[in-house]
Amino acid sequence: MSVPRGDLAELRATVRGWCRAHVPADWRRAQTGVGGDEFVAFQQAWFQELRRAGYAVPHWPAEWGGGMSAAEQMVLYQELAAADAPRLVLAFVSIHHAAATLLTAGTDEQRRRHLPGILDGEIWVQGFSEPEAGSDLASLRTTARRDRRAGGDVFVVNGQKLWASGAAHADWCLLLARSDPAAPKRRGISYLLMDMRSPGLDVRPIRNALGDSHFCEIFLNDVEIPAENLVGPENAGWQVAQATLSAERGMTMLELAERLGNVGLRSLVDTCRRPDVTGRRPIDDTLVADRLAGFDTEIAGLRALCRDLVERHDAGTVGPADASVVKVYYSELLQRMTGFGAEIAGLGALAELAKPASSGWESGRWLLDFIGSWEWTIPGGTNEIQRTIIGERGLGLPREP
């Protein structure tokens, strides 16, 4: 299907019609309580459905299947959210982090190999955090020793990675490892593409507070990675990683803001309209109505921030702390909204033990959503780290001692 360019009304009508024809009507029920294999199969099939329509990677360059402007992406995400379409949960790292890394710092050969692979369903995981290197990522200890043996050139990697979302299903990993132990900690790190089928890898799922196991630990024991899988210069992986992390706090926020404003707020209003045990509707309470109006206003601000960030990113005028502002704003608004939903839902929320596997952080299972929302203030740099970035790089305040 060809995607109309320039005419936003035509694009909106096209996407809306496509959603009516292609969004599975019962996907929430079908994806609640499913196992890993069913989740992966559904996600892969939905990705290909979006790909055939030209909607899977709208933020990529046109030559790789994207090419939508920020305004066009806004329309696309608005309509997908309004139609309650499943999210590309499994492809998140692939289409955002991996693609941003390859497009920014990868070689032509790496792009030719992996970008089509991602479009065909290649699953990626991010191997950054470690037990002693979370917010202070530059303190990572996983080592990558270069070995130019006869007939080959490889990095031999040893160490451990933590909080690797989706690692149990992944084909490839974006890996940060220390390749020069003697260098200052931000200057001795290399960025590598690791095949998850490599000998010496051990992936162990971690069960979280919701009962899910999408977090994993990755143990690496003499894992050999070909030197051709090095992204950017050796020992300059820290700089490459910034492009990966900024992708999470940039383009992805367009979709997340629309999900929060459509699925999230709509579901919250519906919850407030249901009578409680006394027969009264929470929405008839002026305090509840005021909170809902406040959330609506905050979401309008979030949408404006996200669109401005993407437009200035495309124009090359984005500030060094702008993405951090959006990340803090979104994550804390998400917490407040889901927390309010859990409060309104009351004791009935305690009986909800599972949420749809392909939903976002605002599924309407409010207690589970609220617990899961705290995850957003931690990945990609905690909100405390983000506030430091905002203060130092955005406002020009003195650096922390």
Side-chain angles (χ1 to χ4, degrees), residues 207-257:
R207 191 174 179 86
N208 65 17
L210 299 181
D212 299 328
S213 299
H214 70 275
F215 289 139
C216 296
E217 291 178 282
I218 303 175
F219 294 88
L220 305 103
N221 183 22
D222 287 339
V223 176
E224 295 187 0
I225 301 176
E228 64 196 38
N229 289 8
L230 174 69
V231 181
E234 187 173 350
N235 300 322
W238 180 259
Q239 290 71 27
V240 176
Q242 303 317 300
T244 304
L245 294 176
S246 67
E248 180 177 16
R249 297 192 288 265
M251 300 300 300
T252 63
M253 288 300 169
L254 268 181
E255 179 194 1
L256 295 175

Side-chain angles (χ1 to χ4, degrees), residues 99-122:
T101 300
L102 293 165
L103 290 167
T104 302
T107 64
D108 288 341
E109 176 56 34
Q110 288 169 347
R111 284 189 283 270
R112 284 193 299 268
R113 162 62 184 88
H114 291 294
L115 292 178
I118 291 172
L119 291 175
D120 287 338
E122 208 168 68

